[in-house]
Amino acid sequence: MIETTLDIPADARNPVEPFLRMERMPHIWCAGCGIGTTVNCFTRALLKSKANLDKVAVVSGIGCTGRVAGYARLDSFHTTHGRAIPFATGLKLANPELQVVVYSGDGDLFAIGGNHFIHAARRNMDLKVICVNNMIYAMTGGQTAPTTPLEALTSTAPYGVSEPAFNLVSLAEAAGACYVARWTTYHVMQLSRSMEEALGKKGFCFIEVLSPCPTLYQRRNRMGDGLDAMKYYKEASKIRHGAPTSECSLSKSGEIVVGKFVDRERPDYCELLRAQMCQSLGERYAEPEVVCSR
Amino acid sequence: MAKGFVSIAAERCKGCGFCVEFCPTRVLVLSSAFNSTGYHPPHVVAAEKCSGCDLCGMYCPDFAIFGGRYAR
């Protein structure tokens, strides 16, 4: 049922297709979910950054966003719950030539894997962390996550959440990330540019992407569907580059501050380790040999 | 003469309406027809207005639509 009145050139192909395992489509994400939109932005960023795709690895944890690793036609790994960052750390140390991208959700990165996140940021591991924040544990049935805003209704908080939520960008900056940005799925061009910028930067880069969860978050809170969430992002978001991250916390229906908050240089883990080994071993230090199949 | 085109894979569409809402030149509307999974895919109503910006392709969470410009 492909119907259109336009003349489509015979060689026209969807620019996303070379990056995805199209044989696994349609994907499992709900109608109106924004994860697919973030994948679009990521593929455009990869395309523009002209990265060698044999040297890009995607690591995901468990959850709706964790499925990205399964759909990406790259070297990808779907790890155990919360352990995407430790796996990615090992991958990066074993083969420093790889561009390692951690693509996971808020529950996986900040609840189950919260400790790993802060320590990878503290060490400044050369990882690009993309966190799709849908403000809830979506795959398991809509339980309260550490990112669920106050007063939101979830399946484990039927009278409203009473605990304050994490401010992810502030946490990332305090832990020592080199690059911190926040966008929503409405800001596709900005998000794609931000991902491109992070891919070209050395050190721990963190990008938070707010995404609708129509099935569990929006529906339970009577906030409409995915499209209503996108309209809310359009109206409520203010672009403030370099804003102090402590003032950028999220609420259920308040203003969303988006933009690039932190862009700084810090020596990364491999560099510091090498400097320390050179200093203590002197001439006896030998560069580790990396043997890859390609 | 339209500057660009959109290609729609209606069977993969889940009818979220992102492409219809955010098309800058309002080329698309959700059709009243169903696809085999029961969603209403978009269809082109103003082909001549398409600029081929591919914003629909950037928004589509189901990788079901993309735009492009004609070679001059």
Side-chain angles (χ1 to χ4, degrees):
Chain A
M1 203 181 96
I2 296 177
E3 49 149 332
T4 162
T5 52
L6 295 164
D7 306 322
I8 298 164
D11 58 343
R13 290 284 304 278
N14 193 334
V16 192
E17 282 183 18
F19 297 89
L20 296 177
R21 299 178 205 265
M22 292 311 284
E23 68 277 9
R24 303 193 66 181
M25 297 292 147
H27 54 58
I28 63 151
W29 299 316
C30 307
C33 171
I35 299 171
T37 307
T38 68
V39 174
N40 278 328
C41 298
F42 181 59
T43 56
R44 301 306 197 279
L46 277 179
L47 203 65
K48 278 197 186 153
S49 69
K50 299 195 172 62
N52 177 3
L53 296 186
D54 289 337
K55 300 272 181 211
V56 179
V58 176
V59 183
S60 291
I62 300 295
C64 293
T65 319
R67 307 294 294 211
V68 170
Y71 295 131
R73 195 189 289 279
L74 298 164
D75 288 337
S76 56
F77 200 82
H78 195 181
T79 65
T80 45
H81 206 358
R83 313 300 170 225
I85 289 181
F87 183 89
T89 302
L91 199 58
K92 183 73 195 177
L93 291 180
N95 186 355
E97 282 179 7
L98 283 181
Q99 174 77 271
V100 184
V101 181
V102 175
Y103 211 115
S104 207
D106 53 318
D108 185 75
L109 283 172
F110 289 93
I112 297 92
N115 238 323
H116 301 303
F117 179 88
I118 55 173
H119 289 289
R122 172 179 66 83
R123 294 183 187 119
N124 201 15
M125 284 306 307
D126 188 12
L127 304 176
K128 317 293 161 236
V129 179
I130 298 164
C131 171
V132 180
N133 181 0
N134 51 14
M135 298 187 161
I136 209 157
Y137 289 127
M139 189 171 266
T140 49
Q143 292 85 354
T144 307
T147 43
T148 312
L150 273 177
E151 292 168 11
L153 304 179
T154 67
S155 62
T156 49
Y159 304 108
V161 173
S162 55
E163 325 160 1
F166 263 144
N167 178 355
L168 302 186
V169 285
S170 178
L171 179 71
E173 185 188 9
C178 272
Y179 182 97
V180 180
R182 174 196 280 150
W183 296 104
T184 74
T185 45
Y186 168 70
H187 300 90
V188 280
M189 299 313 264
Q190 293 95 326
L191 173 60
S192 157
R193 218 169 299 140
S194 196
M195 285 173 172
E196 194 190 334
E197 223 174 324
L199 285 171
K201 197 170 161 68
K202 205 165 170 63
F204 192 88
C205 300
F206 174 68
I207 301 173
E208 177 188 4
V209 193
L210 290 185
S211 159
C213 177
T215 312
L216 290 155
Y217 184 75
Q218 257 82 31
R219 180 177 59 86
R220 206 179 290 271
N221 288 286
R222 301 191 184 282
M223 292 162 94
D225 58 8
L227 188 57
D228 291 314
M230 293 288 266
K231 286 179 188 162
Y232 160 61
Y233 292 155
K234 184 180 176 181
E235 282 155 23
S237 53
K238 297 268 180 310
I239 299 179
R240 280 175 66 201
H241 292 295
T245 49
S246 55
E247 295 168 12
C248 301
S249 53
L250 296 169
S251 57
K252 193 181 160 193
S253 51
E255 189 183 272
I256 303 168
V257 182
V258 295
K260 180 171 83 175
F261 304 121
V262 177
D263 192 352
R264 59 186 171 191
E265 300 296 329
R266 280 177 69 213
D268 81 320
Y269 179 82
C270 296
E271 222 174 287
L272 289 172
L273 183 69
R274 192 177 174 279
Q276 202 266 331
M277 295 312 271
C278 285
Q279 195 189 355
S280 47
L281 295 177
E283 283 175 6
R284 284 181 297 147
Y285 176 72
E287 290 289 338
E289 234 174 87
V290 179
V291 184
C292 305
S293 52
R294 278 186 225 261
Chain B
M1 176 65 193
K3 277 192 260 176
F5 60 90
V6 279
S7 164
I8 303 163
E11 282 307 313
R12 220 182 290 145
C13 175
K14 288 182 188 156
C16 66
F18 290 0
C19 53
V20 175
E21 176 71 23
F22 298 117
C23 174
T25 53
R26 305 243 154 233
V27 170
L28 304 159
V29 291
L30 284 187
S31 73
S32 53
F34 294 96
N35 64 11
S36 64
T37 39
Y39 293 108
H40 296 288
H43 82 134
V44 176
V45 284
E48 71 288 349
K49 285 201 243 163
C50 182
S51 66
C53 66
D54 191 32
L55 207 60
C56 48
M58 287 285 274
Y59 275 112
C60 181
D62 297 283
F63 320 116
I65 187 170
F66 70 96
R69 293 209 164 92
Y70 290 122
R72 282 166 184 270

